[in-house]
Amino acid sequence: MTTPRDTEAELAGAFLNFRQVWADASGDRWIGVAQLDFDHNFDEVRPYQVYLQYKGPLGKWNIRAGHYLLPFGLLTTYDTERLVLRGLEETNLGIRSDTGAQLFGRSGDFDYALSVTGGLGNSRLFDSRARPLLATRVAYVREAWQVGLSALTGRVWPGSNR
């Protein structure tokens, strides 16, 4: 007869998402987002995405400022944070989200984004030694498929995704 072993269950992570939309007379709108991430049985609480966005007419252009996912790769509107198969940004770029400003939108069949951030990732909001990090992408989108290019230049702060 075997004796039962002590087992520990852990909640690896959970999100809490707040989103507020404000419309103005022309139909354009402000969008405020605050996502909190709870890790390791709620022992760690960290902001995941916190930003304010102004949406231009029909999404042709948008301006976002705050802490957000960098526009790199083709999965820019699909977050893989809590999925079994995750994106490779942290491995191949060393960064997934950062604090800064972004211009993005859609023109016909093209989707575009241009972002300027500090390259600090999740490690801190500000450091005087940080240098600008520029991330950009453009994609041709057709129904269920897309093809595009992404570029990143600048310096990613060591340990930026802790």
Side-chain angles (χ1 to χ4, degrees), residues 53 59-64 102-106 112-114:
Q53 175 180 323
K60 289 184 180 187
W61 57 267
N62 298 269
I63 299 172
R64 177 181 293 163
Q102 179 180 21
L103 172 67
F104 66 101
R106 186 141 184 170
Y112 67 90
L114 175 66

Side-chain angles (χ1 to χ4, degrees), residues 71-74 76 136-138 148-152:
F72 192 88
L74 294 176
T76 59
T136 185
R137 68 177 294 278
V138 64
L149 296 170
S150 295
L152 183 98

Side-chain angles (χ1 to χ4, degrees), residues 17-120:
N17 188 12
F18 298 100
R19 186 172 192 263
Q20 177 66 46
V21 177
W22 300 274
D24 64 16
S26 64
D28 298 338
R29 59 188 166 204
W30 290 91
I31 302 170
V33 171
Q35 293 177 326
L36 297 176
D37 193 15
F38 302 93
D39 291 328
H40 308 295
N41 286 336
F42 295 92
D43 287 342
E44 296 175 27
V45 179
R46 63 182 168 87
Y48 184 64
Q49 290 193 84
V50 179
Y51 61 83
L52 186 62
Q53 175 180 323
Y54 184 74
K55 185 174 184 272
L58 300 175
K60 289 184 180 187
W61 57 267
N62 298 269
I63 299 172
R64 177 181 293 163
H67 192 79
Y68 52 86
L69 299 176
L70 290 174
F72 192 88
L74 294 176
L75 294 176
T76 59
T77 59
Y78 188 73
D79 190 8
T80 60
E81 177 75 12
R82 295 286 177 221
L83 299 178
V84 174
L85 299 175
R86 296 180 58 182
L88 298 174
E89 294 88 351
E90 291 178 35
T91 304
N92 60 10
L93 295 177
I95 194 167
R96 171 110 171 101
S97 59
D98 204 2
T99 302
Q102 179 180 21
L103 172 67
F104 66 101
R106 186 141 184 170
S107 180
D109 291 337
F110 288 91
D111 182 283
Y112 67 90
L114 175 66
S115 174
V116 178
T117 63
L120 299 170

